[in-house]
Amino acid sequence: MAMRHRIGMAVLMGMCMGVEPAMAQSLLLGGTQLAPGNSYSYLGAIMPFAGARLGSGWFGTVFANYLTYHYNTTSTVSVKAPGIQGGLGYAWQGAAYQLALSGALGYQYFSVHPDLGAGGPLGGTVTFTPQIQANYDFTPMLYVSTIASYSFGQRAYWSRFRGGIRPVSWLSFGPEGILQGGVNYRIHQVGAFVSVALGDGWSVEGEGGVNYTSGLGSTGYGGFSFTKTL
């Protein structure tokens, strides 16, 4: 039994490392991630506390999200799961590195059709998701970044690794790898991303590649997201 599941906790967008706005300026985030038979959409905000700024100090998060996916048992099972979550974290920023640790408490409602007792989450599920995010600049043009989290309640993990090239200050791109799994699925993804700063606090990002699911054939995946400083 295997699941096709493009999972993406909203807070995985994290602190958008490298953003250096004014003190206590908040960040709006949104996006959609797609694969055949699966989708994940989210909208939320990251809000530095008084005396902090994006990428440095204490911050709070709040997000709404909507997840759909399917998996195969004796037949195809479809799942829809709207949710909401809020969290708290702390970020550090040095000359060449950024690091953020956070945790989020949320509620996700899993509607499963048909319910074949596959052992995954069902109905209202309270989740707690700790996360770590890190970025390191080897040079002004080359960097690596990673995000990793585990969702208690869903019993699912998600991690992403990127190598970035930044030829100019407003553009970065490079390869990415994603590992994720849960009660009855394992997925790894290999692809690429591109991120563009548009000015006036706006940034957009696209990603895409190949999705490999345990027990199933390979498919494509793609995503689009945006951020806006407020």
Side-chain angles (χ1 to χ4, degrees):
M1 171 171 48
M3 179 186 292
R4 293 183 179 184
H5 186 176
R6 171 63 171 165
I7 192 168
M9 301 287 97
V11 291
L12 291 176
M13 291 301 297
M15 289 301 294
C16 288
M17 298 302 187
V19 175
E20 295 188 36
M23 297 284 285
Q25 196 167 13
S26 296
L27 189 70
L28 178 70
L29 308 93
T32 298
Q33 301 165 336
L34 301 170
N38 311 288
S39 68
Y40 181 80
S41 301
Y42 62 92
L43 180 65
I46 295 173
M47 300 157 289
F49 291 169
R53 59 183 175 86
L54 288 173
S56 181
W58 289 101
F59 61 92
T61 64
V62 59
F63 284 92
N65 60 83
Y66 187 73
L67 171 69
T68 69
Y69 61 89
H70 71 270
Y71 60 90
N72 295 330
T73 56
T74 55
S75 63
T76 299
V77 177
S78 298
V79 181
K80 298 179 180 179
I84 188 168
Q85 62 180 217
L88 176 70
Y90 192 89
W92 297 262
Q93 187 167 28
Y97 75 90
Q98 298 87 34
L99 175 67
L101 300 176
S102 62
L105 187 66
Y107 178 84
Q108 205 89 18
Y109 188 85
F110 289 83
S111 176
V112 181
H113 302 283
D115 179 12
L116 301 178
L122 178 64
T125 303
V126 176
T127 65
F128 174 68
T129 307
Q131 175 186 285
I132 182 171
Q133 179 171 352
N135 185 93
Y136 185 80
D137 297 323
F138 292 107
T139 72
M141 290 183 58
L142 300 175
Y143 66 92
V144 293
S145 66
T146 184
I147 307 174
S149 67
Y150 183 85
S151 179
F152 296 91
Q154 292 189 33
R155 292 176 289 171
Y157 63 88
W158 195 97
S159 59
R160 186 184 71 195
F161 307 88
R162 284 179 169 178
I165 302 169
R166 189 186 298 113
V168 290
S169 61
W170 53 268
L171 172 68
S172 64
F173 58 88
E176 71 174 14
I178 297 169
L179 298 174
Q180 55 185 301
V183 176
N184 47 16
Y185 70 98
R186 298 291 185 275
I187 296 174
H188 67 277
Q189 296 168 316
V190 179
F193 75 96
V194 58
S195 180
V196 180
L198 301 178
D200 195 28
W202 286 96
S203 293
V204 295
E205 182 175 284
E207 62 177 334
V210 182
N211 181 91
Y212 301 93
T213 303
S214 176
L216 297 171
S218 61
T219 64
Y221 76 92
F224 173 82
S225 60
F226 73 89
T227 63
K228 173 66 169 74
T229 52
L230 302 175

